[in-house]
Amino acid sequence: MSSPPRKSLDDVSSGKTVYSQDHIDPLPPESQAGNFPYTRGPYPGMYTKKPWTIRQYAGYSTAEESNAFYLRNLKEGQTGLSVAFDLPTHRGYDSDHPRVIGDVGKAGVAIDSVEDMNILFRNIPLDTMSVSMTMNGCVLPIMAGYIVAAEEQGVTPSQLSGTIQNDILKEFMVRNTYIYPPQPSMRITTDIIAFATQHMPRFNPISISGYHMQEAGATVSQELAYTLADGIEYVRHAQNRGLNVDDFAPRLSFFFAIGMNFFHEIAKLRAARTLWAELMKEKFNPKNPKSYLLRTHCQTSGVSLTQQSPHTNIIRTTVEALAAVLGGTQSLHTNGFDEAVALPSDFSADIARNTQLVLRDETSVTAVEDPLGGSFYIEHLTQKLCQDAREIINEIERMGGMTKAVEAGIPKLKIEESSAKRQARIDKGIDTIVGVNAYVQDKNEENFHIRNIDNTAVREAQIKRLKNIRETRNNETVKETLSQLENAARSEDKNLLEFTIPAVRARASIGEISDCLETVFKRFSANVRSISGIYGAALKDDKELETFKKQLRSFAEKEGRQPKIMVAKLGQDGHDRGAKVIASSFADLGFDVDIGPLFQTPQEAAQQAIDSDVHVIGISSQAAGHTTLIPELIRELHAQNAHDILVVCGGIIPKKDHQFLKEKGVAAIFGPGTPILNAAKIVLNTLENHLIYSPYSKPQDS
């Protein structure tokens, strides 16, 4: 059989025509985009007919500021909304709660009630605009707030389109913005799937997320396997609620990270589509072809970004974005180059968005359905990833499914092991990171505008609005709707979203709704566990390590014990990859290590450190709360006459904040990319000098 005539690239570039698989070589139906098992793409034609959605994830302190950003970006080429909420909202706290003083508005938009949601979507027509919301633990009042805000625009639930993340299993594995224990949390997830199935035919009620797994250190195979295993679990739970698989499966969506392993990331998306279609057929045998489709949003990696030479991150994000496109993503977020330094600025967000516009409109990547399909290497990687992921999924299935595996903590520990191995490879120079462990330039490139959130001003504004709402609403109606919600929570056959909507409509706050459910379900607190031996084994023959261990032994002989460090997370930031890697690695290096529980207040962390008689507290910060929470910790130590405890910190801390923190009493600050052995040396040297000279001065008042 002769091949159809091939079109010239000149024709493609001019926009006159596009390549399709038929223009190159005839393919069997099962190998074509839009046909089972969808390896080449979920839709015939793919980008030749419709490009991916440019959906930039953003939320800035207040609903007003976020709304202005959305309107500006939509005008400049963005094609869908993606809402980032602040940490108190994720964790079900109102902005006036004493546990969230340092977190309000810091890492996303603060939402306390439907009034904030109305402002967030002001002048944005919700009947035509697709909206993605990253929310899991506090998903009930946020989903209800979106529905009521639309209702007050005159838009019905059936008209709404978009996605709510609603993926609670991933939270227990890596992200940690859970509120309730796994079993009631799974009920909430399933209730939202059931409600959307009945009332919201254009809306995706769950986005099954592997993104945070890779960000926490998972390998490509682990991210793929655990994400699909989560999907299987959600389908089973929905079926157990009496839902027909064909009624909800076509609205399931996925969310993957795209890192720097270029060809593996392309193959991962192809393997994900293939494996999901095969698993759905084997386990559930849907009748509707759309039930087999894996449609995915992707986001470029945050953990691949470096504080050193941050402008180099533009290159990294471009490469990752291209991998997502060549893999066939349905929508994409590209990170700002400054996100290893601080929250993204408008300037970096513009570059990130324009990266997608250039790829879409200047490169002809939309002229081909699956441009790397047929490559011997891509096809090999796709098959290999399918095989590796199946082995992991089978292991999860033998445990009784993902809920059981998550309750046992197995995926979390596996990911932490991978993270420690990865860090050891970087520290040894096996994995090259330009500007970090290779081609390092001795200069400071942090000469650009850094976004700064006035946390106090945001919190005061939110509290003022909350106070006004509570004074003007019908509090008897609020009390009645919350009572009905609590009763529904005690009954397994009630849909909790149906009872949350009236409470939101009555102007109940997210904190009041979360407290109501907490009365029944209780607030979940994870057991603190850490791995050991991974980092130490990787550096066992390192000469610098041997020298360092001699110094440790000398310290122990002088002091009568090993140097003791407590690794802590303050506030509502659940990103604990850095804290866990530091804790396990410092233990391997010879430190006596305590780990604080997640979500500690400065007062709680100080008390644990005093009770444990530690030499050093190491604070891991990811969510921009360091200027509020760390000085408060130091003040608390001094209030309890614990001047001898050193405080060090690391994470995403802009250099402009270093002097401020040092003036408050921080002894050392470590940015992203600091080799762990180097950090350990600095901590030990600082501790030894501190014990000799006791230079700790009383911190200034804020």
Side-chain angles (χ1 to χ4, degrees), residues 658-670:
H658 286 201
Q659 186 59 36
F660 169 84
L661 291 173
K662 288 179 179 178
E663 288 173 359
K664 296 300 179 183
V666 174
I669 302 169
F670 305 101

Side-chain angles (χ1 to χ4, degrees), residues 43 81 88 161 181 394 466 475 489 494 511 534 591 647:
Y43 304 118
L81 295 188
S161 63
N394 290 340
L466 268 171
N475 284 296
K494 305 292 186 183
I534 302 296
F591 280 78
V647 175

Side-chain angles (χ1 to χ4, degrees), residues 260-462:
M260 287 297 290
N261 200 334
F262 185 73
F263 292 111
H264 280 74
E265 295 293 0
I266 296 167
K268 179 182 72 183
L269 298 186
R270 303 174 90 251
R273 290 190 293 268
T274 305
L275 194 50
W276 181 249
E278 292 173 353
L279 289 167
M280 286 293 288
K281 186 174 184 62
E282 293 166 14
K283 296 180 181 298
F284 308 108
N285 197 28
K287 303 298 184 290
N288 184 350
K290 292 182 179 180
S291 297
Y292 296 98
L293 298 185
L294 183 145
R295 297 161 300 110
T296 189
H297 172 71
C298 289
Q299 180 174 338
T300 60
S301 173
V303 77
S304 72
L305 305 179
T306 67
Q307 188 178 53
Q308 301 89 334
S309 186
H311 289 100
T312 306
N313 294 330
I314 298 172
I315 302 164
R316 294 186 175 100
T317 294
T318 302
V319 170
E320 291 167 348
L322 180 59
V325 169
L326 295 178
T329 189
Q330 277 59 68
S331 67
L332 179 61
H333 167 90
T334 32
N335 287 346
F337 70 84
D338 52 358
E339 291 189 48
V341 178
L343 298 171
S345 66
D346 287 350
F347 175 67
S348 71
D350 285 346
I351 293 173
R353 182 198 62 244
N354 289 345
T355 299
Q356 295 199 52
L357 293 174
V358 169
L359 285 176
R360 188 189 70 186
D361 296 338
E362 296 187 25
T363 65
S364 295
V365 293
T366 59
V368 190
E369 291 176 349
D370 180 27
L372 293 184
S375 155
F376 77 91
Y377 186 51
I378 290 295
E379 298 298 349
H380 166 74
L381 287 178
T382 302
Q383 293 173 17
K384 184 68 166 58
L385 283 171
C386 284
Q387 293 168 3
D388 292 348
R390 267 193 178 274
E391 291 179 6
I392 298 173
I393 292 169
N394 290 340
E395 180 184 353
I396 296 295
E397 292 286 271
R398 288 192 293 270
M399 295 181 66
M402 206 57 173
T403 304
K404 297 287 186 185
V406 164
E407 289 176 333
I410 301 302
K412 188 176 186 70
L413 287 177
K414 296 278 191 183
I415 291 171
E416 288 173 7
E417 287 178 7
S418 297
S419 179
K421 290 177 182 177
R422 165 73 167 158
Q423 187 62 49
R425 289 198 305 271
I426 293 171
D427 286 358
K428 290 186 72 174
I430 297 171
D431 292 354
T432 297
I433 309 294
V434 173
V436 174
N437 64 1
Y439 316 108
V440 178
Q441 295 180 326
D442 185 18
K443 64 179 181 179
N444 177 15
E445 276 198 42
E446 204 172 287
N447 55 354
F448 47 83
H449 171 72
I450 292 175
R451 179 179 293 277
N452 182 51
I453 303 296
D454 187 344
N455 164 246
T456 301
V458 175
R459 185 168 181 268
E460 288 174 352
Q462 290 298 122

Side-chain angles (χ1 to χ4, degrees), residues 207-221:
S207 175
I208 305 157
S209 174
Y211 181 86
H212 305 87
M213 298 178 198
Q214 186 176 132
E215 290 291 280
T219 65
V220 171
S221 298

Side-chain angles (χ1 to χ4, degrees), residues 61 88 90 148 156 163 182 278 282 364 374 381 411 418 518 629 643 657 695:
S61 63
H90 275 285
V148 174
T156 65
T163 305
E278 292 173 353
E282 293 166 14
S364 295
L381 287 178
S418 297
E518 189 178 334
L629 297 170
H643 304 76
D657 293 340

Side-chain angles (χ1 to χ4, degrees), residues 540-593:
K540 62 181 179 180
D541 298 324
D542 191 288
K543 292 182 179 179
E544 288 187 45
L545 176 59
E546 287 306 312
T547 302
F548 176 72
K549 287 194 171 183
K550 287 179 183 177
Q551 185 181 354
L552 272 177
R553 287 193 292 269
S554 176
F555 178 95
E557 289 171 4
K558 292 176 184 177
E559 298 297 320
R561 61 179 179 137
Q562 298 296 105
K564 188 170 185 179
I565 184 170
M566 171 185 158
V567 180
K569 295 284 296 183
L570 299 180
Q572 299 304 307
D573 177 17
H575 288 102
D576 64 348
R577 171 184 179 160
K580 288 295 185 68
V581 168
I582 289 294
S584 63
S585 302
F586 268 54
D588 287 355
L589 294 175
F591 280 78
D592 184 2
V593 178

